[in-house]
PDB file of all heavy atoms in Angstrom:
ATOM      1  N   ARG A  60      13.320 -10.593   4.485  1.00  0.00           N
ATOM      2  CA  ARG A  60      12.069 -10.668   5.381  1.00  0.00           C
ATOM      3  C   ARG A  60      12.234 -12.083   6.060  1.00  0.00           C
ATOM      4  O   ARG A  60      12.497 -12.968   5.300  1.00  0.00           O
ATOM      5  CB  ARG A  60      10.809 -10.698   4.423  1.00  0.00           C
ATOM      6  CG  ARG A  60       9.520 -10.638   5.148  1.00  0.00           C
ATOM      7  CD  ARG A  60       9.037  -9.267   5.217  1.00  0.00           C
ATOM      8  NE  ARG A  60       7.524  -9.289   5.628  1.00  0.00           N
ATOM      9  CZ  ARG A  60       6.905  -8.337   6.215  1.00  0.00           C
ATOM     10  NH1 ARG A  60       7.579  -7.239   6.414  1.00  0.00           N
ATOM     11  NH2 ARG A  60       5.707  -8.464   6.329  1.00  0.00           N
ATOM     12  N   LYS A  72      13.279  -3.105   4.120  1.00  0.00           N
ATOM     13  CA  LYS A  72      13.110  -2.525   2.770  1.00  0.00           C
ATOM     14  C   LYS A  72      13.923  -1.244   2.566  1.00  0.00           C
ATOM     15  O   LYS A  72      13.950  -0.453   3.413  1.00  0.00           O
ATOM     16  CB  LYS A  72      11.602  -2.158   2.627  1.00  0.00           C
ATOM     17  CG  LYS A  72      10.700  -3.466   2.517  1.00  0.00           C
ATOM     18  CD  LYS A  72       9.283  -3.123   2.176  1.00  0.00           C
ATOM     19  CE  LYS A  72       8.437  -4.445   1.822  1.00  0.00           C
ATOM     20  NZ  LYS A  72       7.014  -4.153   1.552  1.00  0.00           N
ATOM     21  N   TYR A  89       5.837  -7.270  11.258  1.00  0.00           N
ATOM     22  CA  TYR A  89       4.313  -7.528  11.645  1.00  0.00           C
ATOM     23  C   TYR A  89       4.399  -8.432  12.851  1.00  0.00           C
ATOM     24  O   TYR A  89       4.972  -9.486  12.823  1.00  0.00           O
ATOM     25  CB  TYR A  89       3.618  -8.132  10.460  1.00  0.00           C
ATOM     26  CG  TYR A  89       2.343  -8.346  10.574  1.00  0.00           C
ATOM     27  CD1 TYR A  89       1.317  -7.182  10.545  1.00  0.00           C
ATOM     28  CD2 TYR A  89       1.594  -9.607  10.805  1.00  0.00           C
ATOM     29  CE1 TYR A  89      -0.025  -7.377  10.550  1.00  0.00           C
ATOM     30  CE2 TYR A  89       0.249  -9.697  10.803  1.00  0.00           C
ATOM     31  CZ  TYR A  89      -0.643  -8.538  10.881  1.00  0.00           C
ATOM     32  OH  TYR A  89      -1.880  -8.613  10.924  1.00  0.00           O
ATOM     33  N   ASN A 100      -0.007  -3.972  15.143  1.00  0.00           N
ATOM     34  CA  ASN A 100       0.667  -5.073  14.781  1.00  0.00           C
ATOM     35  C   ASN A 100       1.909  -4.768  13.958  1.00  0.00           C
ATOM     36  O   ASN A 100       2.916  -5.395  13.939  1.00  0.00           O
ATOM     37  CB  ASN A 100      -0.210  -5.941  14.084  1.00  0.00           C
ATOM     38  CG  ASN A 100      -1.378  -6.603  14.943  1.00  0.00           C
ATOM     39  OD1 ASN A 100      -1.171  -6.550  16.118  1.00  0.00           O
ATOM     40  ND2 ASN A 100      -2.291  -7.175  14.381  1.00  0.00           N
ATOM     41  N   HIS A 101       1.859  -3.580  13.123  1.00  0.00           N
ATOM     42  CA  HIS A 101       3.141  -3.075  12.254  1.00  0.00           C
ATOM     43  C   HIS A 101       3.805  -2.258  13.204  1.00  0.00           C
ATOM     44  O   HIS A 101       3.393  -1.289  13.773  1.00  0.00           O
ATOM     45  CB  HIS A 101       2.610  -2.307  11.099  1.00  0.00           C
ATOM     46  CG  HIS A 101       2.458  -3.060   9.867  1.00  0.00           C
ATOM     47  ND1 HIS A 101       3.383  -3.514   9.056  1.00  0.00           N
ATOM     48  CD2 HIS A 101       1.389  -3.787   9.297  1.00  0.00           C
ATOM     49  CE1 HIS A 101       3.166  -4.244   8.100  1.00  0.00           C
ATOM     50  NE2 HIS A 101       1.800  -4.429   8.165  1.00  0.00           N
ATOM     51  N   THR A 125       3.977   4.422   7.347  1.00  0.00           N
ATOM     52  CA  THR A 125       3.628   3.164   6.470  1.00  0.00           C
ATOM     53  C   THR A 125       2.167   3.136   6.046  1.00  0.00           C
ATOM     54  O   THR A 125       1.891   2.865   4.928  1.00  0.00           O
ATOM     55  CB  THR A 125       3.946   1.874   7.383  1.00  0.00           C
ATOM     56  OG1 THR A 125       5.346   1.825   7.642  1.00  0.00           O
ATOM     57  CG2 THR A 125       3.478   0.599   6.633  1.00  0.00           C
ATOM     58  N   ARG A 128       1.744   5.863   3.385  1.00  0.00           N
ATOM     59  CA  ARG A 128       2.272   5.643   2.100  1.00  0.00           C
ATOM     60  C   ARG A 128       1.672   4.484   1.404  1.00  0.00           C
ATOM     61  O   ARG A 128       1.532   4.432   0.157  1.00  0.00           O
ATOM     62  CB  ARG A 128       3.865   5.476   2.143  1.00  0.00           C
ATOM     63  CG  ARG A 128       4.448   4.414   2.980  1.00  0.00           C
ATOM     64  CD  ARG A 128       4.377   3.080   2.192  1.00  0.00           C
ATOM     65  NE  ARG A 128       5.447   2.153   2.373  1.00  0.00           N
ATOM     66  CZ  ARG A 128       5.406   0.822   2.427  1.00  0.00           C
ATOM     67  NH1 ARG A 128       4.144   0.246   2.236  1.00  0.00           N
ATOM     68  NH2 ARG A 128       6.293   0.045   2.643  1.00  0.00           N
ATOM     69  N   THR A 129       1.118   3.532   2.187  1.00  0.00           N
ATOM     70  CA  THR A 129       0.464   2.417   1.633  1.00  0.00           C
ATOM     71  C   THR A 129      -0.959   2.895   0.992  1.00  0.00           C
ATOM     72  O   THR A 129      -1.251   2.454  -0.081  1.00  0.00           O
ATOM     73  CB  THR A 129       0.255   1.221   2.594  1.00  0.00           C
ATOM     74  OG1 THR A 129       1.513   1.075   3.228  1.00  0.00           O
ATOM     75  CG2 THR A 129      -0.353   0.076   2.031  1.00  0.00           C
ATOM     76  N   GLY A 152     -11.382  -6.402   4.190  1.00  0.00           N
ATOM     77  CA  GLY A 152     -10.366  -6.256   5.199  1.00  0.00           C
ATOM     78  C   GLY A 152     -10.916  -5.005   6.055  1.00  0.00           C
ATOM     79  O   GLY A 152     -11.465  -4.111   5.607  1.00  0.00           O
ATOM     80  N   ALA A 153     -10.620  -5.237   7.494  1.00  0.00           N
ATOM     81  CA  ALA A 153     -10.961  -4.143   8.319  1.00  0.00           C
ATOM     82  C   ALA A 153     -10.033  -3.944   9.590  1.00  0.00           C
ATOM     83  O   ALA A 153     -10.528  -3.404  10.543  1.00  0.00           O
ATOM     84  CB  ALA A 153     -12.374  -4.472   8.901  1.00  0.00           C
ATOM     85  N   GLY A 154      -8.745  -4.184   9.258  1.00  0.00           N
ATOM     86  CA  GLY A 154      -7.751  -4.089  10.297  1.00  0.00           C
ATOM     87  C   GLY A 154      -7.163  -2.561  10.283  1.00  0.00           C
ATOM     88  O   GLY A 154      -7.857  -1.619   9.888  1.00  0.00           O
ATOM     89  N   HIS A 155      -6.019  -2.420  10.953  1.00  0.00           N
ATOM     90  CA  HIS A 155      -5.493  -1.128  11.165  1.00  0.00           C
ATOM     91  C   HIS A 155      -5.325  -0.266   9.788  1.00  0.00           C
ATOM     92  O   HIS A 155      -5.712   0.984   9.773  1.00  0.00           O
ATOM     93  CB  HIS A 155      -4.127  -1.248  11.691  1.00  0.00           C
ATOM     94  CG  HIS A 155      -3.293   0.049  11.946  1.00  0.00           C
ATOM     95  ND1 HIS A 155      -3.775   0.944  12.999  1.00  0.00           N
ATOM     96  CD2 HIS A 155      -2.370   0.673  11.322  1.00  0.00           C
ATOM     97  CE1 HIS A 155      -3.024   2.014  12.930  1.00  0.00           C
ATOM     98  NE2 HIS A 155      -2.148   1.785  11.919  1.00  0.00           N
ATOM     99  N   GLN A 156      -4.912  -0.959   8.723  1.00  0.00           N
ATOM    100  CA  GLN A 156      -4.570  -0.237   7.459  1.00  0.00           C
ATOM    101  C   GLN A 156      -5.952   0.136   6.766  1.00  0.00           C
ATOM    102  O   GLN A 156      -5.979   1.091   5.963  1.00  0.00           O
ATOM    103  CB  GLN A 156      -3.819  -1.043   6.520  1.00  0.00           C
ATOM    104  CG  GLN A 156      -2.454  -1.612   7.016  1.00  0.00           C
ATOM    105  CD  GLN A 156      -1.493  -0.422   7.234  1.00  0.00           C
ATOM    106  OE1 GLN A 156      -1.403   0.501   6.632  1.00  0.00           O
ATOM    107  NE2 GLN A 156      -0.669  -0.748   8.309  1.00  0.00           N
ATOM    108  N   ALA A 157      -6.958  -0.551   7.011  1.00  0.00           N
ATOM    109  CA  ALA A 157      -8.125  -0.518   6.208  1.00  0.00           C
ATOM    110  C   ALA A 157      -8.787   1.007   6.312  1.00  0.00           C
ATOM    111  O   ALA A 157      -9.263   1.478   5.238  1.00  0.00           O
ATOM    112  CB  ALA A 157      -9.163  -1.512   6.543  1.00  0.00           C
ATOM    113  N   TRP A 176     -16.467  -6.439   3.510  1.00  0.00           N
ATOM    114  CA  TRP A 176     -16.446  -7.797   4.106  1.00  0.00           C
ATOM    115  C   TRP A 176     -15.230  -7.941   4.884  1.00  0.00           C
ATOM    116  O   TRP A 176     -14.123  -7.450   4.490  1.00  0.00           O
ATOM    117  CB  TRP A 176     -16.393  -8.844   2.899  1.00  0.00           C
ATOM    118  CG  TRP A 176     -16.380 -10.261   3.412  1.00  0.00           C
ATOM    119  CD1 TRP A 176     -17.443 -10.993   3.815  1.00  0.00           C
ATOM    120  CD2 TRP A 176     -15.180 -10.960   3.555  1.00  0.00           C
ATOM    121  NE1 TRP A 176     -16.967 -12.222   4.192  1.00  0.00           N
ATOM    122  CE2 TRP A 176     -15.645 -12.206   4.090  1.00  0.00           C
ATOM    123  CE3 TRP A 176     -13.818 -10.709   3.449  1.00  0.00           C
ATOM    124  CZ2 TRP A 176     -14.610 -13.238   4.502  1.00  0.00           C
ATOM    125  CZ3 TRP A 176     -12.861 -11.690   3.759  1.00  0.00           C
ATOM    126  CH2 TRP A 176     -13.305 -12.935   4.161  1.00  0.00           C
ATOM    127  N   ASN A 177     -15.388  -8.578   6.001  1.00  0.00           N
ATOM    128  CA  ASN A 177     -14.192  -8.916   6.772  1.00  0.00           C
ATOM    129  C   ASN A 177     -14.300 -10.343   7.273  1.00  0.00           C
ATOM    130  O   ASN A 177     -15.443 -10.673   7.723  1.00  0.00           O
ATOM    131  CB  ASN A 177     -13.983  -7.915   7.808  1.00  0.00           C
ATOM    132  CG  ASN A 177     -12.499  -8.117   8.367  1.00  0.00           C
ATOM    133  OD1 ASN A 177     -11.425  -8.250   7.623  1.00  0.00           O
ATOM    134  ND2 ASN A 177     -12.367  -8.061   9.757  1.00  0.00           N
ATOM    135  N   LEU A 178     -13.271 -11.191   7.392  1.00  0.00           N
ATOM    136  CA  LEU A 178     -13.468 -12.488   7.949  1.00  0.00           C
ATOM    137  C   LEU A 178     -13.926 -12.279   9.408  1.00  0.00           C
ATOM    138  O   LEU A 178     -14.644 -13.276   9.785  1.00  0.00           O
ATOM    139  CB  LEU A 178     -11.994 -13.240   7.971  1.00  0.00           C
ATOM    140  CG  LEU A 178     -11.969 -14.647   8.472  1.00  0.00           C
ATOM    141  CD1 LEU A 178     -12.746 -15.497   7.618  1.00  0.00           C
ATOM    142  CD2 LEU A 178     -10.598 -15.034   8.603  1.00  0.00           C
ATOM    143  N   HIS A 179     -13.492 -11.216  10.115  1.00  0.00           N
ATOM    144  CA  HIS A 179     -13.961 -11.242  11.418  1.00  0.00           C
ATOM    145  C   HIS A 179     -14.819  -9.901  11.364  1.00  0.00           C
ATOM    146  O   HIS A 179     -14.401  -8.715  11.559  1.00  0.00           O
ATOM    147  CB  HIS A 179     -12.737 -10.829  12.394  1.00  0.00           C
ATOM    148  CG  HIS A 179     -11.601 -11.846  12.219  1.00  0.00           C
ATOM    149  ND1 HIS A 179     -10.549 -11.562  11.533  1.00  0.00           N
ATOM    150  CD2 HIS A 179     -11.583 -13.102  12.672  1.00  0.00           C
ATOM    151  CE1 HIS A 179      -9.734 -12.656  11.586  1.00  0.00           C
ATOM    152  NE2 HIS A 179     -10.316 -13.550  12.221  1.00  0.00           N
ATOM    153  N   MET A 182     -15.069  -6.571  13.404  1.00  0.00           N
ATOM    154  CA  MET A 182     -13.995  -5.377  13.030  1.00  0.00           C
ATOM    155  C   MET A 182     -14.481  -4.332  12.144  1.00  0.00           C
ATOM    156  O   MET A 182     -13.920  -3.294  11.972  1.00  0.00           O
ATOM    157  CB  MET A 182     -12.784  -6.001  12.628  1.00  0.00           C
ATOM    158  CG  MET A 182     -11.911  -6.859  13.654  1.00  0.00           C
ATOM    159  SD  MET A 182     -10.641  -7.726  12.785  1.00  0.00           S
ATOM    160  CE  MET A 182      -9.415  -6.366  12.501  1.00  0.00           C
ATOM    161  N   ILE A 214      -7.185  -5.549   1.832  1.00  0.00           N
ATOM    162  CA  ILE A 214      -6.101  -5.207   2.756  1.00  0.00           C
ATOM    163  C   ILE A 214      -6.279  -6.081   4.074  1.00  0.00           C
ATOM    164  O   ILE A 214      -6.680  -5.636   5.040  1.00  0.00           O
ATOM    165  CB  ILE A 214      -6.107  -3.686   3.135  1.00  0.00           C
ATOM    166  CG1 ILE A 214      -4.992  -3.253   4.065  1.00  0.00           C
ATOM    167  CG2 ILE A 214      -7.556  -3.181   3.567  1.00  0.00           C
ATOM    168  CD1 ILE A 214      -3.726  -3.177   3.349  1.00  0.00           C
ATOM    169  N   THR A 215      -5.945  -7.402   3.767  1.00  0.00           N
ATOM    170  CA  THR A 215      -5.910  -8.411   4.925  1.00  0.00           C
ATOM    171  C   THR A 215      -4.608  -9.044   4.973  1.00  0.00           C
ATOM    172  O   THR A 215      -3.779  -9.000   4.055  1.00  0.00           O
ATOM    173  CB  THR A 215      -6.981  -9.493   4.587  1.00  0.00           C
ATOM    174  OG1 THR A 215      -6.464 -10.245   3.451  1.00  0.00           O
ATOM    175  CG2 THR A 215      -8.365  -8.879   4.174  1.00  0.00           C
ATOM    176  N   SER A 216      -4.329  -9.748   6.058  1.00  0.00           N
ATOM    177  CA  SER A 216      -3.176 -10.658   6.186  1.00  0.00           C
ATOM    178  C   SER A 216      -3.578 -12.096   5.920  1.00  0.00           C
ATOM    179  O   SER A 216      -2.823 -13.031   6.492  1.00  0.00           O
ATOM    180  CB  SER A 216      -2.629 -10.417   7.671  1.00  0.00           C
ATOM    181  OG  SER A 216      -3.677 -10.729   8.541  1.00  0.00           O
ATOM    182  N   SER A 217      -4.407 -12.340   4.952  1.00  0.00           N
ATOM    183  CA  SER A 217      -4.888 -13.608   4.720  1.00  0.00           C
ATOM    184  C   SER A 217      -3.869 -14.553   3.919  1.00  0.00           C
ATOM    185  O   SER A 217      -3.056 -14.160   3.172  1.00  0.00           O
ATOM    186  CB  SER A 217      -6.194 -13.501   3.704  1.00  0.00           C
ATOM    187  OG  SER A 217      -6.508 -14.763   3.224  1.00  0.00           O
ATOM    188  N   PRO A 218      -3.833 -15.872   4.411  1.00  0.00           N
ATOM    189  CA  PRO A 218      -2.904 -16.839   3.730  1.00  0.00           C
ATOM    190  C   PRO A 218      -3.541 -17.534   2.541  1.00  0.00           C
ATOM    191  O   PRO A 218      -2.844 -18.338   1.963  1.00  0.00           O
ATOM    192  CB  PRO A 218      -2.686 -17.741   4.946  1.00  0.00           C
ATOM    193  CG  PRO A 218      -3.863 -17.794   5.693  1.00  0.00           C
ATOM    194  CD  PRO A 218      -4.593 -16.393   5.669  1.00  0.00           C
ATOM    195  N   ALA A 219      -4.801 -17.289   2.261  1.00  0.00           N
ATOM    196  CA  ALA A 219      -5.514 -17.904   1.154  1.00  0.00           C
ATOM    197  C   ALA A 219      -6.523 -16.983   0.599  1.00  0.00           C
ATOM    198  O   ALA A 219      -7.009 -16.028   1.178  1.00  0.00           O
ATOM    199  CB  ALA A 219      -6.154 -19.152   1.649  1.00  0.00           C
ATOM    200  N   SER A 221      -9.560 -15.022  -0.638  1.00  0.00           N
ATOM    201  CA  SER A 221     -10.866 -14.756  -0.134  1.00  0.00           C
ATOM    202  C   SER A 221     -11.716 -14.343  -1.216  1.00  0.00           C
ATOM    203  O   SER A 221     -12.856 -14.906  -1.560  1.00  0.00           O
ATOM    204  CB  SER A 221     -11.021 -13.654   0.954  1.00  0.00           C
ATOM    205  OG  SER A 221     -10.034 -13.877   1.998  1.00  0.00           O
ATOM    206  N   MET A 236      -3.584  -4.868  -1.543  1.00  0.00           N
ATOM    207  CA  MET A 236      -2.613  -4.192  -0.833  1.00  0.00           C
ATOM    208  C   MET A 236      -1.988  -5.064   0.336  1.00  0.00           C
ATOM    209  O   MET A 236      -1.127  -4.685   0.962  1.00  0.00           O
ATOM    210  CB  MET A 236      -3.231  -2.923  -0.176  1.00  0.00           C
ATOM    211  CG  MET A 236      -3.701  -1.923  -1.160  1.00  0.00           C
ATOM    212  SD  MET A 236      -2.587  -1.429  -2.484  1.00  0.00           S
ATOM    213  CE  MET A 236      -1.289  -0.626  -1.764  1.00  0.00           C
ATOM    214  N   GLY A 237      -2.733  -6.121   0.641  1.00  0.00           N
ATOM    215  CA  GLY A 237      -2.319  -7.011   1.874  1.00  0.00           C
ATOM    216  C   GLY A 237      -1.276  -7.890   1.730  1.00  0.00           C
ATOM    217  O   GLY A 237      -0.466  -8.140   2.560  1.00  0.00           O
ATOM    218  N   THR A 238      -0.956  -8.324   0.416  1.00  0.00           N
ATOM    219  CA  THR A 238       0.053  -9.409   0.228  1.00  0.00           C
ATOM    220  C   THR A 238       1.380  -8.801   0.084  1.00  0.00           C
ATOM    221  O   THR A 238       1.653  -8.178  -0.982  1.00  0.00           O
ATOM    222  CB  THR A 238      -0.427 -10.280  -0.916  1.00  0.00           C
ATOM    223  OG1 THR A 238      -1.621 -10.965  -0.485  1.00  0.00           O
ATOM    224  CG2 THR A 238       0.755 -11.288  -1.163  1.00  0.00           C
ATOM    225  N   ASP A 239       2.194  -8.904   1.098  1.00  0.00           N
ATOM    226  CA  ASP A 239       3.484  -8.245   1.007  1.00  0.00           C
ATOM    227  C   ASP A 239       4.640  -9.309   1.387  1.00  0.00           C
ATOM    228  O   ASP A 239       5.816  -8.970   1.824  1.00  0.00           O
ATOM    229  CB  ASP A 239       3.708  -7.035   1.950  1.00  0.00           C
ATOM    230  CG  ASP A 239       3.157  -7.318   3.243  1.00  0.00           C
ATOM    231  OD1 ASP A 239       2.793  -8.522   3.652  1.00  0.00           O
ATOM    232  OD2 ASP A 239       3.175  -6.316   4.231  1.00  0.00           O
ATOM    233  N   LYS A 243       1.363 -15.221   1.612  1.00  0.00           N
ATOM    234  CA  LYS A 243       0.157 -14.389   1.845  1.00  0.00           C
ATOM    235  C   LYS A 243      -0.688 -14.432   0.522  1.00  0.00           C
ATOM    236  O   LYS A 243      -0.011 -14.471  -0.558  1.00  0.00           O
ATOM    237  CB  LYS A 243       0.311 -13.003   2.236  1.00  0.00           C
ATOM    238  CG  LYS A 243       0.717 -12.837   3.760  1.00  0.00           C
ATOM    239  CD  LYS A 243       0.707 -11.400   4.069  1.00  0.00           C
ATOM    240  CE  LYS A 243       1.314 -11.113   5.462  1.00  0.00           C
ATOM    241  NZ  LYS A 243       1.484  -9.755   5.760  1.00  0.00           N
ATOM    242  N   GLY A 309      -0.146  -3.974  -4.911  1.00  0.00           N
ATOM    243  CA  GLY A 309       0.760  -3.023  -4.055  1.00  0.00           C
ATOM    244  C   GLY A 309       1.545  -3.738  -2.996  1.00  0.00           C
ATOM    245  O   GLY A 309       1.013  -4.212  -2.090  1.00  0.00           O
ATOM    246  N   THR A 310       2.816  -4.032  -3.241  1.00  0.00           N
ATOM    247  CA  THR A 310       3.625  -4.774  -2.222  1.00  0.00           C
ATOM    248  C   THR A 310       4.299  -3.878  -1.287  1.00  0.00           C
ATOM    249  O   THR A 310       4.827  -4.491  -0.242  1.00  0.00           O
ATOM    250  CB  THR A 310       4.730  -5.451  -3.244  1.00  0.00           C
ATOM    251  OG1 THR A 310       5.485  -4.488  -3.784  1.00  0.00           O
ATOM    252  CG2 THR A 310       4.122  -6.399  -4.252  1.00  0.00           C
ATOM    253  N   GLY A 311       4.320  -2.664  -1.609  1.00  0.00           N
ATOM    254  CA  GLY A 311       5.031  -1.788  -0.583  1.00  0.00           C
ATOM    255  C   GLY A 311       6.581  -1.695  -0.785  1.00  0.00           C
ATOM    256  O   GLY A 311       7.244  -2.686  -0.547  1.00  0.00           O
ATOM    257  N   VAL A 312       7.077  -0.677  -1.342  1.00  0.00           N
ATOM    258  CA  VAL A 312       8.572  -0.588  -1.636  1.00  0.00           C
ATOM    259  C   VAL A 312       9.302   0.351  -0.613  1.00  0.00           C
ATOM    260  O   VAL A 312       8.780   1.370  -0.081  1.00  0.00           O
ATOM    261  CB  VAL A 312       8.806  -0.240  -3.105  1.00  0.00           C
ATOM    262  CG1 VAL A 312       8.308  -1.278  -4.055  1.00  0.00           C
ATOM    263  CG2 VAL A 312       8.185   1.151  -3.427  1.00  0.00           C
ATOM    264  N   GLN A 315       9.073   4.207  -1.155  1.00  0.00           N
ATOM    265  CA  GLN A 315       7.996   4.898  -0.631  1.00  0.00           C
ATOM    266  C   GLN A 315       8.211   5.340   0.798  1.00  0.00           C
ATOM    267  O   GLN A 315       7.963   6.433   1.229  1.00  0.00           O
ATOM    268  CB  GLN A 315       6.783   3.937  -0.524  1.00  0.00           C
ATOM    269  CG  GLN A 315       6.053   3.770  -1.817  1.00  0.00           C
ATOM    270  CD  GLN A 315       5.038   2.622  -1.647  1.00  0.00           C
ATOM    271  OE1 GLN A 315       5.245   1.408  -1.788  1.00  0.00           O
ATOM    272  NE2 GLN A 315       3.819   2.899  -1.080  1.00  0.00           N
TER     273      GLN A 315
HETATM  274  P1  NAD B 426      -4.356  -6.044  11.017  1.00  0.00           P
HETATM  275  O1  NAD B 426      -3.709  -7.169  11.704  1.00  0.00           O
HETATM  276  O2  NAD B 426      -4.670  -4.779  11.704  1.00  0.00           O
HETATM  277  O3  NAD B 426      -5.627  -6.574  10.174  1.00  0.00           O
HETATM  278  C1  NAD B 426      -5.547  -7.855   9.543  1.00  0.00           C
HETATM  279  C2  NAD B 426      -6.726  -8.019   8.763  1.00  0.00           C
HETATM  280  O4  NAD B 426      -6.687  -9.241   8.062  1.00  0.00           O
HETATM  281  C3  NAD B 426      -8.085  -7.878   9.363  1.00  0.00           C
HETATM  282  O5  NAD B 426      -9.102  -7.343   8.525  1.00  0.00           O
HETATM  283  C4  NAD B 426      -8.361  -9.413   9.639  1.00  0.00           C
HETATM  284  O6  NAD B 426      -9.860  -9.706   9.809  1.00  0.00           O
HETATM  285  C5  NAD B 426      -7.903 -10.009   8.269  1.00  0.00           C
HETATM  286  N1  NAD B 426      -7.482 -11.335   8.385  1.00  0.00           N
HETATM  287  C6  NAD B 426      -6.807 -12.030   9.350  1.00  0.00           C
HETATM  288  N2  NAD B 426      -6.693 -13.332   8.909  1.00  0.00           N
HETATM  289  C7  NAD B 426      -7.427 -13.506   7.903  1.00  0.00           C
HETATM  290  C8  NAD B 426      -7.624 -14.609   7.025  1.00  0.00           C
HETATM  291  N3  NAD B 426      -7.205 -15.921   7.351  1.00  0.00           N
HETATM  292  N4  NAD B 426      -8.420 -14.531   5.828  1.00  0.00           N
HETATM  293  C9  NAD B 426      -8.961 -13.250   5.640  1.00  0.00           C
HETATM  294  N5  NAD B 426      -8.772 -12.161   6.341  1.00  0.00           N
HETATM  295  C10 NAD B 426      -7.941 -12.351   7.417  1.00  0.00           C
HETATM  296  O7  NAD B 426      -3.350  -5.754   9.766  1.00  0.00           O
HETATM  297  P2  NAD B 426      -3.100  -4.391   8.889  1.00  0.00           P
HETATM  298  O8  NAD B 426      -2.085  -3.550   9.560  1.00  0.00           O
HETATM  299  O9  NAD B 426      -4.449  -3.811   8.621  1.00  0.00           O
HETATM  300  O10 NAD B 426      -2.422  -4.983   7.644  1.00  0.00           O
HETATM  301  C11 NAD B 426      -3.129  -5.747   6.708  1.00  0.00           C
HETATM  302  C12 NAD B 426      -2.131  -6.449   5.691  1.00  0.00           C
HETATM  303  O11 NAD B 426      -1.685  -5.450   4.995  1.00  0.00           O
HETATM  304  C13 NAD B 426      -1.182  -7.365   6.308  1.00  0.00           C
HETATM  305  O12 NAD B 426      -0.943  -8.370   5.609  1.00  0.00           O
HETATM  306  C14 NAD B 426       0.137  -6.346   6.132  1.00  0.00           C
HETATM  307  O13 NAD B 426       1.372  -6.961   6.155  1.00  0.00           O
HETATM  308  C15 NAD B 426      -0.227  -5.729   4.909  1.00  0.00           C
HETATM  309  N6  NAD B 426       0.449  -4.394   4.582  1.00  0.00           N
HETATM  310  C16 NAD B 426       0.871  -4.146   3.323  1.00  0.00           C
HETATM  311  C17 NAD B 426       1.474  -2.927   3.071  1.00  0.00           C
HETATM  312  C18 NAD B 426       1.860  -2.707   1.554  1.00  0.00           C
HETATM  313  O14 NAD B 426       2.647  -1.798   1.322  1.00  0.00           O
HETATM  314  N7  NAD B 426       1.518  -3.342   0.693  1.00  0.00           N
HETATM  315  C19 NAD B 426       1.766  -2.095   4.047  1.00  0.00           C
HETATM  316  C20 NAD B 426       1.309  -2.283   5.311  1.00  0.00           C
HETATM  317  C21 NAD B 426       0.563  -3.521   5.547  1.00  0.00           C
END
Side-chain angles (χ1 to χ4, degrees):
R60 189 98 166 156
K72 283 186 171 175
Y89 189 71
N100 292 344
H101 263 278
T125 295
R128 65 79 148 143
T129 306
H155 179 70
Q156 305 293 330
W176 176 88
N177 194 47
L178 182 68
H179 310 101
M182 293 170 76
I214 184 74
T215 69
S216 52
S217 174
S221 308
M236 305 305 296
T238 298
D239 55 0
K243 284 189 192 172
T310 65
V312 295
Q315 281 171 268

